[in-house]
Amino acid sequence: MTDFPTQADVLIIGAGAAGLMCASVAGKRGRSVLVLDHANKVGKKILMSGGGRCNFTNLYTAPDNFYSANPHFCKSALARYTQWDFIALVEKHGIPYHEKTLGQLFCDNKSRDIVDLLLAECREAKAQIRTRCEIQRIEPLQTTGFEVHTSLGKVVCESLVIATGGLSIPTMGATGFGYEVARQFGHSIVPTRAALVPFTLNKRSLERQQELPGTSLAVTARCGAGSFHEQMLFTHKGLSGPSVLQISSHWKEGMPVAFDLVPGLDLSEWLMEQRGKKQESFLHTVLSEFWSKKLVQFFLLRNGLQSKPLKHYGDSELRMVGEKLQTWTLIPEGTEGYRTAEVTLGGVDTNEVSSRSMESMKQPGLYFIGEVLDVTGWLGGFNFQWAWASAHAAGGEV
Ligand code: FDA
């Protein structure tokens, strides 16, 4: 497309999940909508999400699944555009999907289905989209509205929606642009950090686990107030898997993370029972009921535990074994950072944004939606549900 619109009722910066959703809702209200993105194509994060199958929502979405300095902020938008509303949209477009686990809904085919759904909705809403467009400067007009200078030309708009997401995966087009705009208009930013991100371990720990990358097991990971019962995966750099990604949202430098390696069982009690039944069996043999030989060896070594026939263990020693294996504690060296993080914690302070419309309380006509706001979901489709819900709230108002 060659001609660039010089005027729009609504200008949305960012053609990701939230931006495209907002465009379709506003366009269907009869507003003229222009969406601008600096990337070469729209919805790049959607395309790479969910391992290529986009975990587009979660059946059990509730405000408790989100982190924010202001935990009440997300309630209104989530209640007014629910997971059931997005599922209905997916069904309207005939997109096949399934529940993988824990209420997580994935496309049967490809994430592309969700991008196509959003583009079809935008077409129906007559929203215009331009990619490869750099935003140079935003100037508020004296009366109402904004003048936005871009590499493709100048646009005057009444409402300006910032949907530029967080800092995760800069190679996919992520920038801190949304935070800069927020600061320009006097907003505070809740400090950001990478979340839903693998842990890195120090050299010594990595040497000890060099046989294990690719091995996973079910654990309960705990850190601060967080506790998640899911899989943990050993990697070449440290630890990953859903339980680790989830707990990373609670972790800050220097904090210990504890893993219950046999969740849902009182291991000491169980070992005492086994001692009654299998007196001659070695500790490592009975533990192989839970883990592979490699893992048993690793966990015994890492916890300074020797394996001997069960009859040689007293109660207190079995209690100590149970305790060590159910609170295996380590301090990660760090995380893999924004390079691989799924989301960014923190962002535009929600105390300065309307929870009903997502409009700035500092600058009339300016809106923030999606991940740029200080609302971050758990792993499992919650971040997209926030993008849809916040975009829907703004789309009805802009
Ligand atoms: P999003 O990042 O989608 O879009 C922002 C847009 O703004 C981009 O198109 C970008 O190019 C554009 N932009 C940025 N800076 C700009 C600038 N300066 N000028 C112009 N345009 C600019 N969530 C989930 O619920 N289920 C899942 O399965 C996954 N999986 C997943 C995998 C991976 C690898 C990642 C990195 C993330 C996920 N997520 C996820 C998280 C989810 O992708 C994320 O929360 C949403 O995409 C956020 O939607 P937004 O629209 O806010 O930002």
Side-chain angles (χ1 to χ4, degrees):
M1 271 178 248
T2 48
D3 51 329
F4 184 70
T6 56
Q7 202 277 329
D9 294 336
V10 182
L11 175 59
I12 299 173
I13 304 181
L20 294 175
M21 179 66 154
C22 184
S24 75
V25 176
K28 285 183 190 170
R29 285 176 43 238
R31 305 286 279 159
S32 66
V33 181
L34 174 63
V35 189
L36 300 178
D37 201 299
H38 68 159
N40 58 349
K41 59 181 177 191
V42 305
K44 279 190 168 181
K45 272 199 196 160
I46 304 175
L47 291 172
M48 75 187 302
S49 68
R53 293 223 163 117
C54 188
N55 176 195
F56 55 80
T57 193
N58 192 295
L59 290 177
Y60 308 116
T61 305
D64 290 351
N65 304 117
F66 296 85
Y67 306 106
S68 173
N70 172 6
H72 301 295
F73 180 81
C74 63
K75 290 181 180 171
S76 167
L78 288 173
R80 285 177 299 131
Y81 191 83
T82 69
Q83 57 273 42
W84 310 112
D85 293 313
F86 195 76
I87 293 166
L89 188 62
V90 166
E91 288 177 354
K92 176 183 139 190
H93 285 262
I95 297 172
Y97 66 91
H98 61 278
E99 180 186 354
K100 197 167 166 194
T101 169
L102 303 169
Q104 301 167 5
L105 299 190
F106 284 77
C107 297
D108 285 355
N109 300 322
K110 289 205 165 111
S111 303
R112 178 85 238 166
D113 286 353
I114 299 296
V115 174
D116 289 344
L117 170 159
L118 293 167
L119 288 176
E121 290 288 312
C122 281
R123 264 195 307 278
E124 203 185 307
K126 299 193 170 56
Q128 300 198 57
I129 302 170
R130 297 288 189 279
T131 52
R132 298 178 199 265
C133 178
E134 300 296 330
I135 312 301
Q136 294 157 339
R137 192 165 89 245
I138 297 171
E139 286 169 13
L141 296 173
Q142 272 191 342
T143 46
T144 56
F146 303 85
E147 188 171 86
V148 178
H149 296 252
T150 82
S151 56
L152 300 179
K154 196 169 73 181
V155 195
V156 171
C157 63
E158 263 175 46
S159 300
L160 177 62
V161 183
I162 305 300
T164 44
L167 294 166
S168 322
I169 326 263
T171 50
M172 285 288 125
T175 67
F177 177 83
Y179 311 134
E180 284 163 37
V181 176
R183 282 195 195 98
Q184 178 188 340
F185 290 98
H187 280 266
S188 325
I189 305 297
V190 174
T192 54
R193 66 174 208 273
L196 301 183
V197 62
F199 287 139
T200 54
L201 297 177
N202 63 29
K203 215 173 145 212
R204 201 155 154 247
S205 305
L206 288 180
E207 274 165 15
R208 287 180 180 148
Q209 70 174 51
Q210 62 187 351
E211 302 280 299
L212 296 179
T215 310
S216 67
L217 71 156
V219 300
T220 298
R222 295 194 174 92
C223 179
S227 171
F228 291 94
H229 172 49
E230 284 190 64
Q231 292 286 309
M232 171 177 90
L233 172 74
F234 288 89
T235 71
H236 290 286
K237 290 187 179 141
L239 298 173
S240 187
S243 69
V244 166
L245 299 183
Q246 296 278 34
I247 209 68
S248 72
S249 300
H250 290 261
W251 186 80
K252 285 188 187 138
E253 219 178 303
M255 282 172 85
V257 181
F259 295 96
D260 179 346
L261 303 170
V262 200
L265 186 80
D266 183 331
L267 184 61
S268 318
E269 287 292 324
W270 185 83
L271 286 171
M272 286 181 211
E273 270 172 39
Q274 298 303 305
R275 185 181 53 188
K277 292 188 225 160
K278 307 175 187 169
Q279 297 207 343
E280 302 299 331
S281 295
F282 277 70
L283 179 64
H284 71 267
T285 312
V286 292
L287 287 176
S288 59
E289 181 146 332
F290 304 118
W291 317 308
S292 67
K293 231 180 185 172
K294 266 196 297 196
L295 276 178
V296 173
Q297 260 176 4
F298 174 77
F299 287 134
L300 290 181
L301 208 67
R302 281 304 307 264
N303 288 288
L305 298 170
Q306 284 190 344
S307 182
K308 45 188 185 181
L310 290 182
K311 65 181 181 190
H312 294 315
Y313 289 89
D315 284 2
S316 62
E317 210 179 347
L318 284 185
R319 258 187 223 106
M320 186 264 289
V321 171
E323 166 109 15
K324 283 196 165 178
L325 295 175
Q326 295 205 278
T327 54
W328 182 50
T329 303
L330 50 86
I331 300 181
E333 187 175 60
T335 72
E336 291 188 10
Y338 290 119
R339 196 180 56 80
T340 61
E342 280 200 14
V343 283
T344 304
L345 273 171
V348 177
D349 191 339
T350 56
N351 287 307
E352 298 163 351
V353 176
S354 157
S355 61
R356 195 183 51 79
S357 64
M358 306 293 137
E359 187 175 13
S360 159
M361 292 176 185
K362 305 260 177 190
Q363 178 69 37
L366 178 66
Y367 296 76
F368 295 94
I369 57 172
E371 201 182 314
V372 72
L373 284 163
D374 170 34
V375 176
T376 309
W378 291 9
L379 183 79
F382 302 103
N383 284 296
F384 279 134
Q385 187 56 40
W386 172 245
W388 316 136
S390 57
H392 198 271
E397 300 281 336
V398 285

